Amino acid sequence: MNEFYEKFRDRTFFDNHPEAIANHLDKFYQSSEITVFHEMLMPDFHLDVYFINSSEDDFNILLTSGMSLLEMTVREGLENPELHKFAELMILLPKEIEFGKIFPSGNENDWIIGMLKETARFPHHYDTWLTIGHTLQATADMEPYSEKTDYVGLVILPSVTFDEEFTEIKINDEVINIYTIFPLYKNELEYKISNGYNALLDKLIEKDGKEVFDKQRENLLV
């Protein structure tokens, strides 16, 4: 706890960003369609997760709110770095996936929320950044996120369901990008590491991969 406190206590926090995210969602959804998994204990920074259940969509949404409290350490020499400093993450879910009233709750799907939160914290813990095409693994040994799944990592993708009106939150000269996370099996993650993002993207297109999460998705390399 002290280690995290020392690391983050002198960072600049953009405390207006969570409110901007809330206002942004109000443009698209009714308050009755949105619930929040509030974070109770936070060793570093406050990270909530929105659960959006709209009758007009055939999917639900989990969306982080808090990753953009801090700016990421973008790669030197990147063109227009100010457009990449802030991000939040989402995953689209089939309607049948449900959660408890709080997180964690012991629900078999808790690992999905945990995956989102761990990914959102990663760039700030390791002074790096996340953007489209980046991959992360659940553990150093590529073990699954949970005993409930075979997914061992993920890739950051642009949404194909939503356009920039939803995936870019503009605040003065700042932009909060909303990226989609797409969980990967071990061989898929290894394939991306060996062959690059475009090669993995080709496999996604070839298999007609869907943005909405599938617990038992067909392997892209089979």
Side-chain angles (χ1 to χ4, degrees):
M1 184 74 73
N2 289 336
E3 176 187 351
F4 286 127
Y5 175 75
E6 291 294 329
K7 181 177 179 63
F8 289 96
R9 68 174 182 172
D10 295 326
R11 299 281 294 272
T12 298
F13 282 78
F14 293 81
D15 295 319
N16 60 322
H17 286 185
E19 182 179 1
I21 294 167
N23 292 339
H24 180 71
L25 292 178
D26 286 342
K27 299 176 184 177
F28 298 89
Y29 299 102
Q30 302 296 319
S31 58
S32 60
E33 297 175 319
I34 302 173
T35 56
V36 186
F37 292 106
H38 290 285
E39 189 162 71
M40 302 304 176
L41 297 175
M42 45 183 183
D44 40 29
F45 57 93
H46 193 91
L47 182 64
D48 292 331
V49 176
Y50 283 99
F51 180 66
I52 304 168
N53 182 350
S54 173
S55 59
E56 294 186 7
D57 297 328
D58 59 1
F59 54 83
N60 293 333
I61 305 171
L62 286 176
L63 171 67
T64 63
S65 176
M67 182 178 175
S68 63
L69 275 169
L70 296 158
E71 67 177 61
M72 296 184 288
T73 306
V74 300
R75 173 174 55 81
E76 289 188 12
L78 185 70
E79 186 177 357
N80 299 320
E82 67 279 359
L83 300 180
H84 303 273
K85 289 181 177 180
F86 300 103
E88 298 290 348
L89 305 172
M90 72 174 175
I91 185 169
L92 309 189
L93 302 171
K95 290 289 188 181
E96 61 267 23
I97 290 185
E98 299 179 341
F99 302 94
K101 294 185 180 300
I102 60 172
F103 172 81
S105 66
N107 182 285
E108 67 175 357
N109 298 315
D110 275 356
W111 71 268
I112 302 174
I113 299 176
M115 172 178 60
L116 265 177
K117 291 168 76 78
E118 290 168 13
T119 306
R121 283 194 152 92
F122 178 85
H124 303 311
H125 283 195
Y126 295 95
D127 299 321
T128 186
W129 64 310
L130 289 177
T131 191
I132 293 167
H134 287 182
T135 49
L136 284 181
Q137 53 200 64
T139 70
D141 296 327
M142 289 196 185
E143 297 169 325
Y145 285 101
S146 162
E147 62 182 15
K148 304 293 185 181
T149 184
D150 291 325
Y151 292 117
V152 305
L154 57 86
V155 61
I156 307 293
L157 296 177
S159 177
V160 296
T161 303
F162 295 97
D163 59 21
E164 292 180 358
E165 183 181 6
F166 183 80
T167 61
E168 291 186 359
I169 305 174
K170 296 180 180 178
I171 315 168
N172 300 322
D173 296 329
E174 300 164 3
V175 177
I176 301 173
N177 298 291
I178 299 177
Y179 299 130
T180 291
I181 66 171
F182 186 84
L184 297 173
Y185 298 118
K186 186 173 185 290
N187 66 331
E188 295 171 341
L189 182 55
E190 292 171 336
Y191 180 83
K192 189 274 179 183
I193 292 171
S194 297
N195 298 279
Y197 170 62
N198 288 334
L200 180 67
L201 197 59
D202 288 342
K203 292 294 183 182
L204 266 169
I205 295 171
E206 178 184 325
K207 291 288 187 177
D208 192 26
K210 305 300 183 184
E211 184 173 359
V212 177
F213 173 73
D214 185 345
K215 278 188 173 182
Q216 303 295 331
R217 173 176 60 78
E218 179 185 359
N219 196 298
L220 299 176
L221 302 178
V222 174

